[in-house]
Amino acid sequence: MSDKHLSTQFDSELNAVSSRVMELGGLVESQIRQAIYALSQFSGEAADQVTETENRVNAMEIEIDRELSSIIARRQPTARDLRLLIAISKTTANLERVGDEATKIARMVKSIIESGSARALPASELRVAADLASGLLRKALDAFARLDTATAVSILKEDDLIDKEFDGFVRKLITYMMEDPRTISASLDLLFLAKAIERIGDHAKNIAEFIIYIVKGADVRHTSMEEIESAVQ
């Protein structure tokens, strides 16, 4: 975070908590990578690694939240500093939820492996959407570190690609279920996975919105793209 404050100690505290958020982001990214690998390879070992990381992610989210509460209580920040701390808190919560989605994917992969019922369905096609979602989160974290509003706007646009992938996948699954009712159970498992991937993209989008909130003080949720682009100019 580039802005300097009158209090050097406050600067240090902001930098420290921001670094913790990036550390949490890296941990969550590793969860997603393992979850994608588990899905593409039907790897129970990779799925186990995702679930084992969940406790670390949850613990870090709690620690960061406590640190933020302490800073706000002691420093009583105003204006942009307060927006920054609020956005960090919300970003941390969204990263924890991304970890939850990765864990959901891992647990469903384990269920699919045990049943052996989904290998004939287009599970591999989920890799495209998963890679898009993972890349979007990485881009959002990088933009957050630099408070880059231009990249934040591009993330909001790219989230539409993940939504389109999800819609297309759902249509394919419906076709499979109509043609062969025996695939309904396995198709519903894959639908659950697809929804978890879509939610990861949604959380990356949320982080992008927080960046605009920090820099411009504008809440761009439920706002048209034209209005968002106007707000960041």
Side-chain angles (χ1 to χ4, degrees):
M1 308 299 174
S2 59
D3 283 8
K4 294 297 181 183
H5 302 80
L6 295 176
S7 169
T8 302
Q9 182 61 34
F10 190 20
D11 272 338
S12 177
E13 290 173 354
L14 287 176
N15 288 333
V17 75
S18 296
S19 295
R20 289 286 283 165
V21 172
M22 299 309 295
E23 183 183 351
L24 175 60
L27 188 60
V28 170
E29 279 191 85
S30 72
Q31 270 192 300
I32 296 174
R33 285 194 297 271
Q34 288 292 338
I36 293 173
Y37 181 82
L39 175 61
S40 62
Q41 302 297 320
F42 286 104
S43 169
E45 181 179 352
D48 287 338
Q49 290 178 8
V50 175
T51 56
E52 288 169 5
T53 306
E54 183 180 19
N55 288 338
R56 290 176 59 197
V57 169
N58 292 341
M60 283 191 69
E61 192 263 341
I62 292 171
E63 290 169 7
I64 293 171
D65 192 58
R66 286 175 178 167
E67 189 170 350
L68 288 169
S69 297
S70 175
I71 292 173
I72 292 172
R74 289 183 291 103
R75 301 295 182 182
Q76 298 183 347
T78 59
R80 180 169 171 172
D81 291 334
L82 183 58
R83 293 204 305 267
L84 172 60
L85 292 169
I86 291 171
I88 287 176
S89 177
K90 291 183 177 180
T91 295
T92 301
N94 272 265
L95 288 173
E96 190 272 334
R97 287 171 191 144
V98 170
D100 287 343
E101 298 300 337
T103 301
K104 288 178 186 177
I105 292 171
R107 288 173 177 160
M108 183 56 69
V109 167
K110 289 278 287 185
S111 176
I112 290 173
I113 292 171
E114 291 169 3
S115 68
S117 59
R119 291 180 181 269
L121 292 174
S124 61
E125 295 185 20
L126 282 175
R127 179 67 183 264
V128 175
D131 286 340
L132 283 172
S134 177
L136 205 61
L137 179 65
R138 189 177 309 113
K139 191 173 181 178
L141 288 168
D142 183 59
F144 190 86
R146 295 180 289 108
L147 294 182
D148 183 348
T149 57
T151 299
V153 171
S154 72
I155 290 168
L156 300 183
K157 294 177 180 177
E158 288 178 44
D159 182 57
D160 290 340
L161 295 176
I162 298 174
D163 294 339
K164 289 178 181 177
E165 286 287 336
F166 175 75
D167 291 341
F169 189 76
V170 170
R171 287 194 293 271
K172 285 187 178 182
L173 288 180
I174 290 173
T175 299
Y176 276 103
M177 289 187 283
M178 290 177 65
E179 292 178 349
D180 186 356
R182 292 173 298 179
T183 66
I184 289 176
S185 178
S187 294
L188 291 176
D189 287 344
L190 294 182
L191 180 60
F192 179 92
L193 289 167
K195 187 60 181 178
I197 291 168
E198 185 200 30
R199 290 295 297 144
I200 291 172
D202 289 342
H203 290 303
K205 178 181 178 180
N206 290 344
I207 294 172
E209 291 173 343
F210 300 150
I211 294 168
I212 297 172
Y213 173 69
I214 293 170
V215 178
K216 298 296 182 178
D219 185 347
V220 296
R221 293 174 298 174
H222 316 299
T223 303
S224 71
M225 189 53 64
E226 288 184 359
E227 291 174 313
I228 292 172
E229 290 176 328
S230 176
V232 302
Q233 289 177 355

